[in-house]
Amino acid sequence: MKDFLRDRFFSFEVLVLFILSKSNKGLNICLEEFFGESSLSPTKSAFTQARKKLCYTVFKKLNGLICSLFYQHAKFKKWKGHRVLSVDGSTLELPDHPSMSEKFSYHGFGPNADAGHYMSRISYLYDVYNGLVLDAGMESYTTSEATLCHAHLGHIKEGDLLVCDRYYASLRLFFELKGKGADFLFRMKDNWWKCVEDFSRSSSSDAEYTLILPPKYRWLLEKYPSLSQTMTVRLIKKKNKKGKISIYATSLLDRKKYTASSLINLYKQRWGIEEAYKLIKSRLEVSDFSGKTAWAVQQDFYAKTLIISLCNILCYDVEPKTKTGRTSKSARTLIINKTYALSKTKSLILKIRDLIGELEQIIQKYVKKIASKIEYSKRNQVFKRKFRAKLKYSMNYKSI
């Protein structure tokens, strides 16, 4: 903090707000929008020098703070008493800059591996019902998704329910979640587990199996005194119309409270984390980094992750309404236009710097605008989806 003691354009607070509110327009345009069209506004060089003194972890800590406040004061959504979380990973292509080699790795792509890029692997721990990113990680491309998943475990609490796809299931993760007092629901790969293979061949659709903690993970018994060397898991089988079988493993053994169909439907809610990646990649265009250094790309990633959480918190109590102010008579669900909401969230941040005293009124106007910008959910739509030929290039999303 000693770097921000002197009186400059970019104090600590102003620099944080500027990075959060910055759009993907040219830097000079963003500086004018934030400071006003004045000859006394800071230069691009001033911003570049100031951001070198700001650790990217400040955005991680701010994200953790607003999530903590949300869970303390809001009546957040649960599923049968559980906070439903999910973990998933993705990748980002990074700028070609020498500083990238300090943390990230260089990889060759293409038929001859002659198209090289610096790459990173990213991971989210996401609250699928409330839309909050509880924790984010950005590491080298060589880091496995499982490693990043274990880094999130400190944010999982007793009573939470973790839902993951088939590449995350492991004995260590199962037992560690059990030791923390959390539950889990995983889709399983049938060729990785002997018990899953046996269950897949059996006629049963819902059965229990006993797992044994391997000797190399016995250190978990010291970390979690309540943990035992064995665990009972429940395997559930689902066959689709084409005859393909999906296997799910869960620690929820009460068949009356947690029916097989309800758990299978719950697993579908995991898709919310994919929507979060669509927001940061396509709507917030995180890959259009505002700097070329490893320090700058991490600031951008964690800042835009914070915006996703902040936007969903601000929109939490917003009830979408039609232009007439009434709810739709259609069977389809009204939902908030997230592209518009993200844009207005950044505009809100832009106003905070000079209007702290009027913040409550500003937020009320924000909520009113978001509630008026609505669209229909794809659920219960009347017309059948038309499948088109695969495009050579990905469809462009509207940016903000």
Side-chain angles (χ1 to χ4, degrees):
M1 287 292 289
K2 64 180 181 180
D3 293 314
F4 295 98
L5 294 178
R6 299 177 65 186
D7 187 14
R8 291 288 185 267
F9 277 111
F10 287 108
S11 63
F12 176 80
E13 295 83 358
V14 170
L15 181 58
V16 169
L17 290 174
F18 176 73
I19 292 175
L20 287 173
S21 64
K22 183 186 176 302
S23 67
N24 289 336
K25 300 176 185 177
L27 185 53
N28 277 327
I29 297 174
C30 294
L31 288 169
E32 284 187 357
E33 289 178 347
F34 190 83
F35 290 96
E37 297 182 13
S38 169
S39 59
L40 298 176
S41 61
T43 62
K44 293 192 294 184
S45 177
F47 168 64
T48 301
Q49 294 177 50
R51 79 180 312 173
K52 291 179 182 178
K53 303 169 185 176
L54 181 70
C55 184
Y56 59 86
T57 57
V58 67
F59 298 106
K60 291 191 69 173
K61 292 180 179 179
L62 284 172
N63 185 79
L65 176 61
I66 65 170
C67 288
S68 177
L69 291 172
F70 173 79
Y71 289 122
Q72 287 178 28
H73 301 288
K75 294 181 179 179
F76 57 92
K77 298 174 185 176
K78 294 182 179 181
W79 181 82
K80 296 183 184 295
H82 299 279
R83 185 174 63 161
V84 182
L85 311 179
S86 183
V87 172
D88 203 2
S90 187
T91 59
L92 289 178
E93 183 180 324
L94 306 177
D96 187 8
H97 191 272
S99 67
M100 294 297 171
S101 60
E102 299 171 4
K103 182 170 184 178
F104 305 107
S105 50
Y106 192 83
H107 297 271
F109 297 91
N112 301 316
D114 53 356
H117 305 288
Y118 281 103
M119 298 291 295
S120 73
R121 194 175 301 280
I122 58 176
S123 181
Y124 276 169
L125 173 64
Y126 188 75
D127 183 334
V128 297
Y129 275 98
N130 300 293
L132 274 64
V133 182
L134 273 65
D135 189 42
M138 184 180 190
E139 299 294 339
S140 170
Y141 186 73
T142 56
T143 307
S144 69
E145 290 187 349
T147 301
L148 290 170
C149 177
H150 284 286
H152 296 314
L153 292 183
H155 298 268
I156 298 176
K157 299 179 180 180
E158 183 178 354
D160 287 345
L161 174 57
L162 183 66
V163 181
C164 290
D165 68 13
R166 52 189 168 177
Y167 297 102
Y168 283 92
S170 70
L171 286 172
R172 177 189 167 183
L173 185 54
F174 283 2
F175 276 89
E176 192 151 10
L177 288 169
K178 194 68 174 178
K180 293 177 70 67
D183 290 290
F184 57 83
L185 173 63
F186 284 69
R187 187 179 173 189
M188 306 293 286
K189 283 185 69 69
D190 55 3
N191 58 349
W192 282 10
W193 300 68
K194 181 66 168 61
C195 64
V196 175
E197 289 181 0
D198 295 340
F199 177 68
S200 180
R201 297 192 195 100
S202 71
S203 59
S204 176
S205 61
D206 193 335
E208 294 182 4
Y209 286 80
T210 300
L211 301 179
I212 301 174
L213 182 65
K216 63 179 178 180
Y217 298 137
R218 295 285 166 83
W219 53 270
L220 288 173
L221 299 175
E222 297 181 3
K223 185 176 181 181
Y224 303 105
S226 61
L227 195 63
S228 63
Q229 294 186 22
T230 60
M231 177 196 301
T232 302
V233 297
R234 178 181 169 196
L235 298 183
I236 299 170
K237 184 190 302 180
K238 180 193 176 186
K239 184 182 291 187
N240 64 15
K241 295 180 181 179
K242 296 182 179 180
K244 184 178 179 181
I245 294 176
S246 299
I247 308 293
Y248 304 90
T250 181
S251 59
L252 301 171
L253 306 180
D254 188 340
R255 286 176 171 78
K256 290 184 178 180
K257 184 177 181 180
Y258 309 104
T259 62
S261 60
S262 68
L263 289 168
I264 291 170
N265 288 329
L266 175 65
Y267 179 80
K268 297 175 184 177
Q269 300 302 317
R270 192 196 67 83
W271 190 254
I273 194 170
E274 305 290 352
E275 290 295 314
Y277 279 127
K278 185 175 78 173
L279 289 177
I280 195 169
K281 286 188 171 186
S282 300
R283 301 294 194 255
L284 294 171
E285 294 181 320
V286 66
S287 293
D288 187 9
F289 297 106
S290 61
K292 295 182 178 180
T293 65
W295 199 257
V297 300
Q298 290 176 95
Q299 283 181 350
D300 285 351
F301 170 69
Y302 290 114
K304 291 183 177 182
T305 297
L306 170 58
I307 290 172
I308 292 175
S309 295
L310 183 59
C311 176
N312 285 325
I313 288 173
L314 289 170
C315 296
Y316 183 74
D317 287 328
V318 176
E319 295 183 4
K321 295 181 179 179
T322 61
K323 291 182 179 179
T324 60
R326 291 175 289 184
T327 56
S328 174
K329 295 180 180 180
S330 171
R332 297 176 64 187
T333 306
L334 289 173
I335 58 174
I336 292 168
N337 185 321
K338 280 297 176 68
T339 302
Y340 181 81
L342 285 168
S343 177
K344 285 301 174 183
T345 300
K346 296 180 82 170
S347 299
L348 178 65
I349 295 170
L350 190 65
K351 296 176 181 178
I352 288 175
R353 185 172 67 96
D354 298 320
L355 300 173
I356 298 294
E358 302 174 23
L359 186 57
E360 185 175 349
Q361 291 86 344
I362 293 173
I363 292 177
Q364 288 175 355
K365 290 181 181 179
Y366 167 92
V367 169
K368 188 175 181 180
K369 286 184 177 181
I370 298 302
S372 67
K373 300 297 180 180
I374 57 172
E375 55 190 26
Y376 283 105
S377 168
K378 292 182 179 180
R379 294 179 181 177
N380 302 321
Q381 61 183 3
V382 177
F383 300 101
K384 292 184 178 180
R385 182 178 177 184
K386 295 181 179 179
F387 291 92
R388 302 177 182 177
K390 188 175 181 181
L391 299 175
K392 186 176 180 181
Y393 302 103
S394 299
M395 180 181 70
N396 291 326
Y397 285 99
K398 298 186 286 293
S399 66
I400 60 170

